[in-house]
Amino acid sequence: MSKMENSGRVISLNRKRRQNASMTKKVDMLNTQARVVAITSGKGGVGKTNIVANLGYALGKLGQRVLVFDADLGLGNLDVLLGLTPRYNLSHVIDGTKRLPDIIVNGPGNLKILPASSGIQEMTKLTFDQKVEIFNELNALLSKFDIVLIDTAAGISSNVLFFNASADEIMVVVTPEPTSITDAYALMKVLSVKYREKHFRLLVNLAKSTREASDVSRQLCLVADRFLDVSIEYFGSVLMDENVKSGVRKQKVISEMAPMTQASRNFAELAHKFMRSEPMIPRSDNRPLIWQDIV
């Protein structure tokens, strides 16, 4: 291995720390059995945060200890969606006044929430050391949870790519809108070409029918099979349901407010399917996370 390769040694967040004297800055590996899932999208406005909240709630109803990490660092809104008013957020961890466990708040059901900040531009430009500190502290928390859902921002910014590349599995949320499909493809392309991510799960939101959702999945998979060296698993869909908008207005997850609606049934089905599934990316030395490229 060359010096350049050594300087870019990769660290998997779910295996033991490699002892490498040439690396002066490291992150502690997330070596618990908690599944770390990044839920992401190429385009904003696809209902991603609503999916995170409802899927997390549904998993909690199945007895899972779920932590939701709002990783939209500059424009976090998960707390608003859930009607929460946290006193502290991730910006207080970054400035050193609080530790990560200090800012966790209780969400609906059994959910635990790590709130992000909103309207603080500096949070969108974290340094290498700040990112390392976040994951060192997160590592100490993960033994307390079964599942960690990372609600990333949309797009292909460095923070979005960082959190996606740090997870065991990546679930891309897309809607039937052409712009959403195009941007989802672009996100997977960047993660594949630049960060060697090869496995994705796809969740179609706001489809009018299961057939429309399947068509969206088929369209993306055909293009990806032709132009990208990736595997995409169609994980399921959440159909259009006006009750979801009502839940957003009332700052309630629809799965709690109206458990028998179409969307709530979809979230329950997705939670059961998730529990039956295995992480798409096995925990092994082959899981790359290239810090010098992501920062």
Side-chain angles (χ1 to χ4, degrees):
M1 183 177 290
S2 67
K3 288 185 178 180
M4 182 174 294
E5 289 172 325
N6 269 325
S7 67
R9 287 293 294 275
V10 297
I11 300 174
S12 169
L13 295 179
N14 282 306
R15 56 185 169 81
K16 296 180 180 179
R17 172 179 291 183
R18 286 185 178 178
Q19 299 301 319
N20 185 347
S22 67
M23 295 185 66
T24 58
K25 295 178 179 179
K26 296 183 181 180
V27 101
D28 287 333
M29 270 50 63
L30 308 182
N31 54 12
T32 71
Q33 292 303 304
R35 288 176 69 171
V36 182
V37 184
I39 299 183
T40 191
S41 66
K43 178 181 179 296
V46 299
K48 172 176 52 59
T49 297
N50 204 20
I51 283 176
V52 172
N54 279 278
L55 180 59
Y57 179 86
L59 288 167
K61 294 292 286 184
L62 297 179
Q64 296 299 291
R65 300 170 299 168
V66 183
L67 174 67
V68 177
F69 181 6
D70 189 348
D72 191 345
L73 302 184
L75 292 171
N77 58 10
L78 179 64
D79 54 334
V80 176
L81 181 69
L82 298 176
L84 305 174
T85 54
R87 184 175 180 182
Y88 304 108
N89 57 55
L90 199 59
S91 68
H92 297 95
V93 177
I94 296 300
D95 68 21
T97 59
K98 292 294 176 182
R99 304 296 298 273
L100 217 54
D102 300 329
I103 71 170
I104 293 178
V105 294
N106 295 322
N110 298 320
L111 277 183
K112 301 294 182 182
I113 310 295
L114 274 174
S117 60
S118 184
I120 301 179
Q121 186 179 14
E122 290 77 12
M123 290 296 292
T124 65
K125 301 176 181 179
L126 297 183
T127 66
F128 177 86
D129 287 339
Q130 288 170 331
K131 292 176 182 179
V132 168
E133 182 61 28
I134 289 174
F135 278 93
N136 278 339
E137 293 204 25
L138 186 58
N139 178 56
L141 283 176
L142 290 193
S143 62
K144 303 178 185 298
F145 298 96
D146 302 306
I147 299 167
V148 175
L149 301 179
I150 301 178
D151 181 16
T152 80
I156 55 174
S157 71
S158 62
N159 279 343
V160 173
L161 300 174
F162 175 83
F163 287 115
N164 276 307
S166 300
D168 292 322
E169 46 202 295
I170 300 171
M171 186 176 293
V172 180
V173 179
V174 66
T175 71
E177 295 180 6
T179 51
S180 175
I181 296 170
T182 300
D183 289 352
Y185 173 82
L187 172 63
M188 289 186 284
K189 179 179 178 180
V190 172
L191 286 167
S192 169
V193 173
K194 193 169 183 181
Y195 302 106
R196 293 181 289 193
E197 295 292 345
K198 299 300 181 184
H199 308 281
F200 301 92
R201 285 194 167 114
L202 188 68
L203 196 159
V204 180
N205 192 30
L206 302 177
K208 295 179 182 177
S209 65
T210 54
R211 180 174 181 176
E212 182 180 47
S214 296
D215 288 342
V216 170
S217 171
R218 189 179 306 109
Q219 181 179 349
L220 253 177
C221 289
L222 284 173
V223 177
D225 285 345
R226 184 174 180 181
F227 298 107
L228 300 180
D229 179 24
V230 301
S231 65
I232 301 175
E233 176 191 345
Y234 174 45
F235 200 70
S237 63
V238 179
L239 301 185
M240 185 81 72
D241 186 340
E242 290 299 319
N243 293 288
V244 174
K245 294 181 180 179
S246 176
V248 171
R249 289 192 294 269
K250 295 179 180 179
Q251 295 178 294
K252 298 281 188 181
V253 290
I254 188 65
S255 298
E256 178 185 36
M257 187 182 78
M260 297 309 295
T261 60
Q262 176 66 61
S264 296
R265 293 197 301 271
N266 290 155
F267 285 121
E269 292 165 2
L270 290 170
H272 280 283
K273 183 173 182 178
F274 183 86
M275 293 300 298
R276 295 192 301 268
S277 69
E278 293 292 331
M280 292 199 73
I281 305 166
R283 296 181 178 90
S284 74
D285 288 352
N286 296 322
R287 175 77 170 102
L289 174 57
I290 305 178
W291 292 96
Q292 66 174 14
D293 288 343
I294 293 177
V295 176

